[in-house]
Amino acid sequence: EIGLFLLLGLSWRVWSYRAGQTVMAGMDVSLIGLIYCVIPLLQLHAIYTEPQGKLWLCYLMVVVWGTDIGAYLIGRWLGRHKLAPMVSPGKSWEGAWGGLLVAALAGWAMIVLLSLTLTTQSAIMLSVGLSVVAQVGDLIESLFKREAGVKDAGQLIPGHGGLLDRLDSLLFAAPGLFMYLTVTR
């Protein structure tokens, strides 16, 4: 499946080429786009097809949303030390730690509520790991936007930026959960 998407992406470069364009730079962007979006979406689908896959996806979304909400609220309240000022000047270390804390608590609660088979320690460790990866995904998407010279990845969701602005953390956390489920099964 991945090979097909890669082939289609590279083929598209043939028909979208314009005179004076740097083909290799365009191919880099196409390949990054495929890797950045398609592979995590395929892994989300693979999680969905797992036993209890729908429950694992609910857990993942709560951890990612908990990370975003915790980082935003704690960052607004206590944020003093910039996390990555050249990439995303509004993010703080305090917010990052707040995101980790909320993700750990929310993830543990979801494991218990959904009756997923993990010990408390494993649930918290997995949730914290996914939270870290989600925050890195958010920063990488901010880096892409900064390099492209845009504030939002689109206007699909008024006041929230584009769809990619809402999915950036999930696109990074999905491979993390997929790997965990693959290794532990």
Side-chain angles (χ1 to χ4, degrees):
E1 293 176 5
I2 294 171
L4 176 63
F5 283 110
L6 184 61
L7 184 60
L8 289 173
L10 291 172
S11 299
W12 174 251
R13 298 301 305 155
V14 172
W15 289 279
S16 64
Y17 177 75
R18 302 289 177 256
Q21 184 180 25
T22 306
V23 175
M24 293 307 289
M27 288 177 67
D28 289 348
V29 171
S30 295
L31 290 174
I32 288 171
L34 285 170
I35 293 167
Y36 186 72
C37 293
V38 174
I39 291 173
L41 291 173
L42 290 172
Q43 290 173 328
L44 282 170
H45 176 71
I47 293 168
Y48 178 81
T49 61
E50 285 279 320
Q52 297 185 307
K54 293 176 188 174
L55 300 178
W56 281 109
L57 287 178
C58 288
Y59 160 79
L60 179 64
M61 286 187 271
V62 167
V63 168
V64 168
W65 293 337
T67 298
D68 287 347
I69 292 166
Y72 176 77
L73 293 176
I74 300 299
R76 296 276 301 185
W77 181 39
L78 298 173
R80 302 288 179 271
H81 303 91
K82 299 296 181 190
L83 180 63
M86 296 302 292
V87 173
S88 189
K91 291 180 176 48
S92 68
W93 280 102
E94 293 84 358
W97 286 106
L100 288 174
L101 177 64
V102 172
L105 294 172
W108 168 78
M110 288 303 292
I111 293 294
V112 171
L113 288 171
L114 299 174
S115 300
L116 294 168
T117 53
L118 280 180
T119 65
T120 298
Q121 181 181 1
S122 294
I124 291 171
M125 288 175 52
L126 177 60
S127 300
V128 167
L130 292 173
S131 178
V132 168
V133 173
Q135 291 186 58
V136 169
D138 191 26
L139 287 169
I140 288 174
E141 200 255 342
S142 294
L143 181 63
F144 288 162
K145 290 188 305 185
R146 180 144 321 262
E147 188 169 295
V150 296
K151 181 182 178 340
D152 294 327
Q155 292 88 28
L156 182 64
I157 309 168
H160 290 274
L163 190 58
L164 192 55
D165 290 307
R166 295 295 97 216
L167 296 178
D168 54 5
S169 299
L170 185 63
L171 290 175
F172 266 69
L177 180 59
F178 177 77
M179 285 189 291
Y180 174 81
L181 293 173
T182 302
V183 168
T184 59
R185 304 254 165 175

